[in-house]
């Protein structure tokens, strides 16, 4: 029997209508896999071998009572067929330590999605620097003076920490904003935390499009996350509204630029964010939007992912 392990946040707290990890687990169950649930605290290594305390479970595709634990055991991670690293950010040193455990699991026979080395290499905001031809003007620094100088040039900007998610601690500002100094002090933690300043893209009003990339190829529809009337951020966690849209010619061009690079790195499931004509983030840790796109367009994105993995 194929064994698929999922390292994730506590399963009891997920929203099954929107959780992409749940979609992957359901697909694994449909394919007859034995599903192992793992949290970060369950991982360990001993004498050069990767292990985890796991719980096998059965799933039901509903909002409440969506899982049942079957059995608890300790397993050698190398004995898993697939390990999906789906822990949400923050991407901190504990997350990095977990990728080292997953490096061992990979060496010992498991297929890890996404590649642990790639998770370390492809910071979700910094990795856009690999594609400067399709990204908005920006600067990355922990030095507030450098950032402020860039803002003088760029005009209206977005200021965001490099390790955030879901729109947390993102500011829209400009050189004339009397709050600019305190914004930079806050986000850089007084010049101790690396921060991105990115030129504001007015097309955010039409949505921040999440484009899913499976094995280097784009899903043909994106979820446009449209800001509410009271916020500039499109993040669904901040009140944005999701609307499925077909990819534009520009979306396809960006996806065809980024997708092969991701595949070559062993990033088999990713979500790139596009606003207007620009790539703004490359999400590789636990990108979402499978369930929304599946429901709106009759897709099976998790099924496409497993088909791709089985064909490698």
């Amino acid at each position: 029997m194929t064994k698929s392990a999922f390292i994730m946040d506590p399963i009891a707290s997920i929203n099954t209508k929107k959780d992409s990890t749940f979609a992957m687990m359901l697909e694994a169950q449909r394919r007859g896999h034995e599903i192992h649930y793992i949290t970060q605290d369950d991982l360990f290594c001993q004498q050069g071998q990767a292990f985890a305390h796991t719980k096998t479970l059965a799933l039901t595709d509903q909002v409440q009572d969506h899982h049942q634990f079957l059995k608890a055991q300790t397993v050698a991670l190398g004995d898993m067929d697939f390990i999906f690293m789906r822990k949400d950010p923050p991407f901190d040193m504990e997350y990095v330590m977990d990728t080292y455990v997953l490096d061992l699991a990979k060496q010992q026979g498991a297929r890890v999605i996404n590649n642990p080395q790639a998770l370390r290499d492809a910071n979700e905001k910094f990795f856009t620097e690999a594609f400067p031809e399709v990204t908005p003007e920006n600067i990355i620094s922990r030095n507030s003076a450098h950032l402020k100088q860039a803002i003088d040039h760029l005009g209206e900007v977005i200021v965001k920490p490099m390790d955030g998610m879901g729109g947390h601690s993102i500011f829209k500002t400009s050189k004339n904003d009397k709050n600019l100094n305190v914004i930079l002090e806050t986000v850089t933690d007084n010049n101790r935390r690396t921060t991105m300043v990115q030129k504001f893209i007015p097309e955010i009003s039409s949505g921040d499009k999440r484009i899913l990339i499976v094995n280097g190829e784009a899903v043909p529809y994106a979820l446009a996350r449209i800001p509410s009337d009271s916020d500039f951020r499109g993040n669904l966690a901040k009140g944005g509204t999701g609307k499925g849209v077909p990819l534009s010619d520009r979306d396809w061009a960006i996806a065809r630029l980024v997708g092969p690079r991701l595949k070559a790195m062993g990033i088999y499931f990713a979500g790139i964010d596009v606003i207007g004509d620009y790539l703004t983030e490359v999400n590789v840790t636990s990108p979402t939007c499978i369930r929304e796109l599946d429901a709106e367009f009759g897709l099976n994105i998790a099924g496409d992912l497993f088909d791709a993995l089985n064909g490698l």
Side-chain angles (χ1 to χ4, degrees):
M1 177 182 289
T2 300
K3 297 178 181 179
S4 288
F6 294 83
I7 304 167
M8 58 187 292
D9 290 302
I11 192 170
S13 64
I14 66 173
N15 179 347
T16 58
K17 289 186 176 181
K18 296 185 177 183
D19 195 277
S20 290
T21 306
F22 190 69
M24 295 176 188
M25 297 169 86
L26 284 173
E27 182 62 24
Q29 180 171 269
R30 280 191 288 268
R31 292 173 181 240
H33 294 198
E34 182 176 84
I35 302 171
H36 291 252
Y37 163 74
I38 303 172
T39 67
Q40 282 184 293
D41 292 344
D42 295 321
L43 297 170
F44 68 101
C45 59
Q46 189 171 1
Q47 298 301 112
Q49 190 167 4
F51 295 94
H53 304 300
T54 81
K55 295 177 181 176
T56 52
L57 47 69
L59 304 168
T60 305
D61 191 1
Q62 58 192 30
V63 175
Q64 302 294 331
D65 300 321
H66 47 69
H67 68 283
Q68 177 186 0
F69 292 125
L70 304 176
K71 183 182 176 183
Q73 54 273 306
T74 300
V75 303
L77 286 174
D79 292 339
M80 297 290 105
D81 294 285
F82 299 106
I83 302 174
F84 293 83
M85 181 48 158
R86 295 286 303 172
K87 174 68 180 67
D88 283 345
F91 189 99
D92 54 16
M93 280 307 299
E94 290 307 307
Y95 190 104
V96 171
M97 291 297 166
D98 293 341
T99 67
Y100 294 148
V101 177
L102 293 176
D103 275 335
L104 288 176
K106 181 182 175 185
Q107 294 165 17
Q108 291 156 10
R111 300 171 72 180
V112 183
I113 299 93
N114 287 310
N115 179 13
Q117 178 67 53
L119 291 176
R120 296 192 294 272
D121 290 346
N123 175 274
E124 301 191 327
K125 295 176 176 63
F126 204 108
F127 195 54
T128 58
E129 297 297 288
F131 311 99
E133 62 269 50
V134 295
T135 57
E137 289 186 80
N138 69 79
I139 183 172
I140 299 172
S141 175
R142 67 174 60 88
N143 187 310
S144 292
H146 291 169
L147 297 173
K148 195 170 183 180
Q149 185 178 28
I151 294 168
D152 286 342
H153 164 68
L154 295 174
E156 199 166 31
V157 300
I158 297 297
V159 180
K160 53 187 176 182
M162 302 299 287
D163 58 354
M165 66 166 290
H168 183 66
S169 296
I170 293 178
F171 293 87
K172 178 184 174 185
T173 186
S174 67
K175 65 180 181 180
N176 297 319
D177 187 349
K178 292 185 181 297
N179 290 310
L180 178 57
N181 287 336
V182 72
I183 289 171
L184 294 177
E185 290 165 7
T186 299
V187 181
T188 68
D189 190 20
N190 292 305
N191 300 315
R192 289 189 292 265
R193 183 167 64 172
T194 302
T195 296
M196 174 180 278
V197 166
Q198 190 176 74
K199 187 173 179 63
F200 176 70
I201 308 168
E203 289 83 357
I204 182 64
S205 61
S206 298
D208 178 356
K209 285 184 278 189
R210 167 61 55 83
I211 301 170
L212 297 180
I213 307 289
V214 177
N215 195 32
E217 300 286 339
V219 173
Y221 301 94
L223 191 72
R225 297 159 298 174
I226 301 168
S228 69
D229 292 339
S230 61
D231 206 318
F232 68 91
R233 297 168 295 180
N235 306 81
L236 302 181
K238 303 301 180 184
T241 301
K243 177 184 178 183
V245 296
L247 300 194
S248 68
D249 289 344
R250 178 64 170 178
D251 297 335
W252 279 114
I254 293 172
R256 287 169 180 147
L257 177 67
V258 179
R261 176 76 174 271
L262 296 175
K263 181 178 178 179
M265 296 173 67
I267 299 173
Y268 300 114
F269 184 73
I272 63 174
D273 292 345
V274 173
I275 302 174
D277 289 335
Y278 298 101
L279 173 71
T280 60
E281 290 193 15
V282 181
N283 298 274
V284 302
T285 53
S286 58
T288 60
C289 297
I290 285 180
R291 302 228 75 187
E292 295 93 330
L293 291 173
D294 279 358
E296 188 163 350
F297 297 107
L299 306 176
N300 181 6
I301 297 168
D304 294 339
L305 174 60
F306 275 103
D307 287 345
L309 294 173
N310 287 327
L312 293 175

